[in-house]
């Protein structure tokens, strides 16, 4: 092998290594971590823009061992939207991906169990999702137990929202809480109204969707004393 070929081979290897290193240096617009009940695993929920201007965003939920350094794509993926911890060893997930335009019923189409790490993921599949709700609220205090979060609303001093842990994300700015999001609260009914192509209206159809709670503190609230496990933390 000539010296010129050896130099070309070295340059090629260097360039390939640089590309791999650059490909893994992603910038995320959403990145949060949740410690599992045992403390042995971490669930990462992240999202970033696609590599091209018109490509879809990339978002995943992955599970890695607690002592492993996060590397995108190296964990075991959870397919679906996390809803809650049913118990300390079972995580409930909803999956609404379907080829159907509208759900045919409010009952699940399939239930799947998957062992990840030291816990079980129970994925409940629905034919489709045709509804989504968002509730924007202010709060002035929160507390957690081993399995729930309690949020005291401002609009009504007697109203406290309670959610099971699992789908709660707490954002921290500095030393205080800046925002709380609670997602994947399932809604089902037979009250969906559909406008047909001919202009007629069909009522009493299956409706399946989720509610997203958007919660903002009215003052400085420290995260001290809150449960560190079963909650997504974003800093």
């Amino acid at each position: 092998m000539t010296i010129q070929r050896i130099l070309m081979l070295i340059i090629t290897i260097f360039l390939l290594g640089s590309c791999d290193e650059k490909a893994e240096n992603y910038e995320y617009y959403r990145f949060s971590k949740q410690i599992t009940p045992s403390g042995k695993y971490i669930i990462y929920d992240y999202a970033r823009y696609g590599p091209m201007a018109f490509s879809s965003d990339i978002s995943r939920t992955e599970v890695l061992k607690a002592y492993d350094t996060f590397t995108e794509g190296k964990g075991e993926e959870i397919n679906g939207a996390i809803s809650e911890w049913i118990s300390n060893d079972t995580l409930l997930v909803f999956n609404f991906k379907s080829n159907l335009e509208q759900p045919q019923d409010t009952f699940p189409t399939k239930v799947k169990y998957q062992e990840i790490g030291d816990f079980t993921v129970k994925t409940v599949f629905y034919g489709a999702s045709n509804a989504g709700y968002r509730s924007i609220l202010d709060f002035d205090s929160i507390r957690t137990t081993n399995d729930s979060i309690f949020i005291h609303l401002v609009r009504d001093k007697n109203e406290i929202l309670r959610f099971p842990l699992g789908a709660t994300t707490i954002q921290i700015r500095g030393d205080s809480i800046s925002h709380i999001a609670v997602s994947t609260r399932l809604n089902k009914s037979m009250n969906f109204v559909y406008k047909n192509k001919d202009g007629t209206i069909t009522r009493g159809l299956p409706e399946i969707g989720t509610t997203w709670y958007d919660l903002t503190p009215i003052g400085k609230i420290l995260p001290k004393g809150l449960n560190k496990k079963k909650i997504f933390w974003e800093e």
Side-chain angles (χ1 to χ4, degrees):
M1 184 179 291
T2 65
I3 296 177
Q4 185 177 6
R5 287 186 176 182
I6 294 174
L7 288 174
M8 289 298 296
L9 180 61
I10 293 174
I11 292 172
T12 301
I13 293 173
F14 175 78
L15 290 175
L16 289 174
S18 299
C19 290
D20 290 341
E21 183 178 352
K22 184 178 180 181
E24 294 182 0
N25 189 23
Y26 301 125
E27 291 187 6
Y28 300 96
Y29 61 79
R30 187 184 77 234
F31 190 91
S32 57
K33 301 185 294 184
Q34 178 179 155
I35 302 173
T36 62
S38 69
K40 296 180 180 179
Y41 293 85
I42 295 178
I43 304 173
Y44 293 87
D45 183 67
Y46 61 86
R48 61 180 173 87
Y49 297 111
M52 304 297 290
F54 298 101
S55 59
S56 300
D57 290 4
I58 296 170
S59 61
R60 295 192 186 96
T61 304
E62 297 185 30
V63 180
L64 282 84
K65 291 181 179 179
Y67 54 77
D68 286 343
T69 301
F70 173 78
T71 302
E72 183 178 316
K74 297 299 183 181
E76 195 160 358
E77 188 172 1
I78 295 177
N79 293 304
I82 292 176
S83 178
E84 63 184 86
W85 286 96
I86 300 174
S87 64
N88 283 334
D89 60 3
T90 305
L91 181 64
L92 177 63
V93 172
F94 293 127
N95 191 313
F96 302 102
K97 292 182 179 179
S98 171
N99 294 325
L100 299 174
E101 291 185 3
Q102 298 291 332
Q104 303 299 305
D105 205 330
T106 57
F107 293 104
T109 59
K110 182 175 66 172
V111 177
K112 177 184 176 182
Y113 293 89
Q114 177 186 8
E115 299 296 325
I116 296 182
D118 61 354
F119 62 93
T120 300
V121 175
K122 178 183 178 180
T123 305
V124 180
F125 293 81
Y126 286 93
S129 174
N130 59 355
Y133 303 94
R134 186 182 182 190
S135 183
I136 302 175
L137 302 164
D138 296 329
F139 67 95
D140 58 10
S141 65
I142 62 170
R143 66 182 180 88
T144 58
T145 61
N146 289 332
D147 57 9
S148 301
I149 183 169
F150 298 85
I151 304 172
H152 192 273
L153 301 181
V154 174
R155 71 180 185 186
D156 187 342
K157 293 298 183 181
N158 295 319
E159 185 172 3
I160 297 177
L161 296 179
R162 175 194 172 276
F163 300 104
L165 298 181
T168 297
T169 300
I170 299 180
Q171 294 180 353
I172 302 296
R173 293 294 180 269
D175 62 350
S176 58
I177 297 172
S178 62
H179 184 263
I180 295 178
V182 182
S183 60
T184 327
R185 304 312 304 156
L186 185 66
N187 299 311
K188 299 190 298 180
S189 75
M190 293 296 295
N191 300 321
F192 190 75
V193 179
Y194 184 77
K195 184 176 181 180
N196 302 297
K197 294 180 180 180
D198 60 3
T200 60
I201 300 295
T202 303
R203 302 179 185 276
L205 296 175
E207 177 179 292
I208 298 176
T210 59
T211 299
W212 175 288
Y213 289 86
D214 215 337
L215 302 148
T216 303
I218 62 168
K220 185 172 183 177
I221 300 178
L222 301 177
K224 183 179 180 180
L226 298 181
N227 197 341
K228 297 302 180 183
K229 298 179 180 178
K230 302 184 185 179
I231 293 175
F232 282 107
W233 291 88
E234 184 176 336
E235 299 181 356

